Each structure stands twice: as C-alpha cells, then as structure tokens.
Amino acid sequence: MRFTYVPHAVALAGTVLLSACGKPPMAGPAPSLATPEVGTITVQTQKLALTTELPGRTVPYQIAEVRPQVNGIVKERKFREGSDVKAGEALYQIDPATYKASYDSNVAALAKAQANLQTTRLKAERYKELVAIKAVSQQDYDDAAASLAQGEADVAAAKANVETSRINLAYARVDSPISGRIGRSSVTAGALVTASQATALATVQQLDPIYVDVTQPSASLLRLKQAMARGDLQKSGANAAKVKLVLEDGSSYPLDGKLQFSDVTVDQNTGSITLRAVFPNPRAELLPGMYVRAVLEEGTLDQGVLVPQPAVSRDSTGKPIAYVVGGDNKLQRRVLETDRTIGDQWLVRSGLKAGDQLVVDGQLHVTPGVSVKSVPWVAKQAASAPATASTTAKLASNSSN
C-alpha cells in the first residue's frame, strides 16, 4: 500500500489541536466609555432697549418751485446758484416798464374819477335842499343822485385797477417764497418768461430741519403693538419717538431726530407703512434724496434672553431648536420661539429661562437623553465681532451674559 503526503491536511489538523487546548484568538482593544463633552453657557435675562433699523430717503422740509406771475423779459438774476436765500429776497427782475406805465395810468384814472365824484356829490347835495322847497323837480334830483352813485362806482373801479396794476408791478420782481437753498437757474438775463409757465425758474428747498421718510412692513407694526399689549415690551417713555440716523457710508449722524408721524394707509403694492422723522440739519450735511438708515426706538424689554447663534439650529420642519443640559446631566431638546437677530445673537421669546445650561458647542455629536459633561463655552475672537443686521438692539443695563 502507498501513502501520499498532503500539506493542507496537516495544517488543518494543527488548527484543530490548538482549538482543543481552549485558547481563544487575540481580541482588539475595548471601546472607550468616556462621557462626551459639550460647551455650555448659563442663560440669563437682561434689560434691552430694542431698536429697528429701516431704510429711507431724505426729503426737504419745504420745497418751492419759483415761477413768474407776469409776462416779460428777465432783466437780471439776483442770486448765486447753490446759495442760501431768505423768504422775500429778490431772485429775478422782470422788465417792469409796461407794468409801471399801466400803474401810472390807473392812478391818473383814479384821480380823475375822484375829481368827478366831488362835483357830482356837491350837485346832489344842493339838489337835495332845492327839491325840499320845490325849487327843482324831483326828476332833476333823482338824476343828480344817480350821477353821484355812478361817480362812487367809478372811483371804486379805478381803485381796483390801481391795485391790480400795483400787484402786477410788484410781480415783476420775483421773490423767494421760503427760506432755504436755491438750485440752478433755468433762465438767464434776456429770457422771455410767461405767467404761470410749466418750467420753474428755480427751486428753493428748506434743508434745516429736514425730513427722513422710511418704510416699515405692516406686519412688523402689528407685532410691535401685540408685544406692547401683552406687556412683553414697554414704551421707552420720553425717548420713544427718538430716532438715530446711519448715513450711506456707515457713519452715524451726530444729531438725533424725532418721529413726527406714521401714515394711516398701507401701501397695497409693498404692504408697508411710511414713517416720517424730522432731523436738525444746521450744516446741511443731509441733502435731499440721500439714502439713509433710520434707527427707531421700539421700547424696553425687561426680561430679554439673548443666546449665541451657534446654539440655535432648525429641525426638519424649520422650527428653531436648542439643547440644554438637565439637572441629571442628560441632554434635553427645547423648541424655541425666536424674535430677531441682534448682532451675532438670537433674541428668544420662549423656550428658555434664566438658569438653563444652554449647549452652544458639541450638540451635533450627541443625541437627546444621553449623559454629557458640561464645560464652559468661550466665544472665539472672530465670532465676537459685531454683525450687521437690519434690526439691532442695545443693552440698557450693565448685566452680564
């Protein structure tokens, strides 16, 4: 009999023998059981003065388009374009020759009418005495009395003609209707102008004070009124109507304004309401048509809750949520109601209360219900820079976060 050596069979037999000895194969390292760490802050309430930043445009306080009220040739322009003028100051002189002649003629006609009136009055007075003694007929007296009445009417008409010609002569001098800054002139000396023409000779605008018209969504106004009705927001007292201004280059206008009125009609196209504020403008820094941002004080929030933006996320339905560490060191999920962003923080209306350990960092790596270890969260230097937002707020007290 002949046997054949099979290497695979030998190897298999060796493996069986090792297993029989009861020695288990080598195992990998045991998984780590360390508690995950999350960065937290303690939620605190603070008093906030809420403001709203709205876009707007500057509008002249008064504006007057200067037009001639008589026909004629412009003899002289009496102002420098772009200068300040006073109300009643002469701007143009229209050739007054024809109006002066008409005035003189009417004055002479008035003198003639007054002279005729004197004789008819004396005649009527004499006839009145004579008719009493039957020295003249009643018809002669009636004629004299009628001539007196006609003479008085002629004098009244002559006076009206004199006044009309005097007004036309005065209109030959075109005065500024208001005080303000005058723009460019549309005519020069020698130009023919007509009464009440469509083209203005020049425009005068009063710039001190000056209006700022801004628009606010009607929904924001309703939300503000509801917050005040609930008592969440208190009026800021005497400063409730104070308005600050941010210029187009980002700088702040040094003088405060006051909210003058709110329009009573909502624009059907934009759904917004126009608000008008008035600002002092002694150095004419604000010019008509400038784009500005007005910062309006809404009111004071006594128990405001501000949290860093990284602490707030959204669930699958879009609702804002946050995580807190409970007393048992377990992670809890809270559904929030946020009001607005203030710089790099959220203003939370509900869902958090003072003393809550709010998770700002590390919440994405754990799930609600697990035990976590809280460590103080420190904001990064880059995150501490203020963010630009359309709605801002300022701290009204020195309470810490």
Side-chain angles (χ1 to χ4, degrees):
M1 182 180 294
R2 187 178 180 181
F3 295 95
T4 304
Y5 177 71
V6 182
H8 294 289
V10 176
L12 180 60
T15 302
V16 174
L17 291 175
L18 289 176
S19 298
C21 293
K23 293 182 180 180
M26 296 293 293
S32 176
L33 300 178
T35 303
E37 292 185 353
V38 291
T40 62
I41 60 171
T42 301
V43 175
Q44 295 184 358
T45 61
Q46 50 192 315
K47 189 174 183 179
L48 299 174
L50 299 183
T51 60
T52 298
E53 190 173 293
L54 301 172
R57 293 279 181 184
T58 53
V59 180
Y61 190 78
Q62 291 188 87
I63 183 169
E65 293 183 339
V66 180
R67 288 183 172 86
Q69 294 180 275
V70 293
N71 304 330
I73 302 296
V74 177
K75 291 188 62 177
E76 183 183 3
R77 190 190 75 191
K78 296 178 175 290
F79 66 91
R80 181 174 57 85
E81 294 174 319
S83 63
D84 293 328
V85 296
K86 300 294 184 181
E89 180 179 339
L91 302 179
Y92 297 91
Q93 180 61 57
I94 298 174
D95 188 358
T98 57
Y99 301 104
K100 180 66 168 60
S102 178
Y103 173 76
D104 293 341
S105 175
N106 289 326
V107 169
L110 173 61
K112 181 179 179 180
Q114 289 174 335
N116 292 334
L117 177 63
Q118 183 65 19
T119 59
T120 54
R121 178 179 287 114
L122 293 174
K123 183 177 180 179
E125 290 175 353
R126 285 194 299 268
Y127 275 31
K128 183 178 182 180
E129 296 174 355
L130 293 175
V131 76
I133 59 175
K134 306 297 183 179
V136 296
S137 66
Q138 184 65 39
Q139 182 62 47
D140 291 338
Y141 171 71
D142 292 342
D143 291 342
S147 297
L148 175 61
Q150 183 177 352
E152 290 174 344
D154 291 341
V155 169
K159 286 182 178 179
N161 291 334
V162 169
E163 181 65 15
T164 300
S165 59
R166 185 196 65 78
I167 292 174
N168 289 334
L169 179 60
Y171 282 160
R173 167 178 151 154
V174 182
D175 296 337
S176 175
I178 62 173
S179 297
R181 180 163 296 181
I182 192 167
R184 69 179 185 88
S185 174
S186 63
V187 298
T188 59
L192 174 64
V193 296
T194 57
S196 304
Q197 63 184 30
T199 303
L201 302 181
T203 301
V204 182
Q205 301 178 88
Q206 182 180 347
L207 304 182
D208 184 25
I210 194 169
Y211 287 133
V212 173
D213 288 349
V214 298
T215 56
Q216 182 182 38
S218 58
S220 299
L221 187 61
L222 291 175
R223 185 170 62 248
L224 177 62
K225 290 182 178 180
Q226 292 170 0
M228 288 185 174
R230 292 194 305 266
D232 299 340
L233 199 62
Q234 304 296 328
K235 290 185 177 180
S236 300
N239 296 326
K242 187 168 66 175
V243 184
K244 296 183 180 295
L245 207 61
V246 179
L247 302 181
E248 195 170 2
D249 60 355
S251 61
S252 298
Y253 186 65
L255 303 176
D256 292 339
K258 291 184 178 180
L259 186 64
Q260 191 173 63
F261 86 98
S262 173
D263 204 349
V264 296
T265 304
V266 178
D267 190 320
Q268 296 181 2
N269 296 323
T270 61
S272 59
I273 298 175
T274 299
L275 309 177
R276 170 165 282 185
V278 59
F279 282 82
N281 191 28
R283 296 190 295 176
E285 296 179 50
L286 301 177
L287 299 178
M290 290 179 62
Y291 173 79
V292 293
R293 297 194 303 276
V295 181
L296 284 71
E297 291 190 356
E298 291 184 353
T300 302
L301 190 62
D302 291 332
Q303 301 292 327
V305 175
L306 289 177
V307 300
Q309 288 189 12
V312 180
S313 57
R314 300 275 175 177
D315 61 11
S316 58
T317 63
K319 295 180 179 180
I321 58 173
Y323 294 90
V324 298
V325 178
D328 54 358
N329 292 327
K330 291 186 177 181
L331 197 67
Q332 300 176 3
R333 174 177 161 175
R334 300 277 182 87
V335 178
L336 308 181
E337 185 179 357
T338 56
D339 187 277
R340 64 185 74 181
T341 57
I342 300 175
D344 59 351
Q345 296 179 302
W346 277 104
L347 176 60
V348 178
R349 185 182 301 174
S350 64
L352 294 174
K353 62 181 183 298
D356 284 342
Q357 294 297 314
L358 177 66
V359 179
V360 183
D361 184 31
Q363 67 270 39
L364 300 179
H365 306 293
V366 290
T367 57
V370 302
S371 298
V372 294
K373 179 181 179 182
S374 299
V375 296
W377 176 79
V378 180
K380 297 180 181 179
Q381 186 67 23
S384 63
T388 301
S390 60
T391 306
T392 60
K394 58 183 180 180
L395 293 179
S397 65
N398 294 327
S399 58
S400 60
N401 290 336

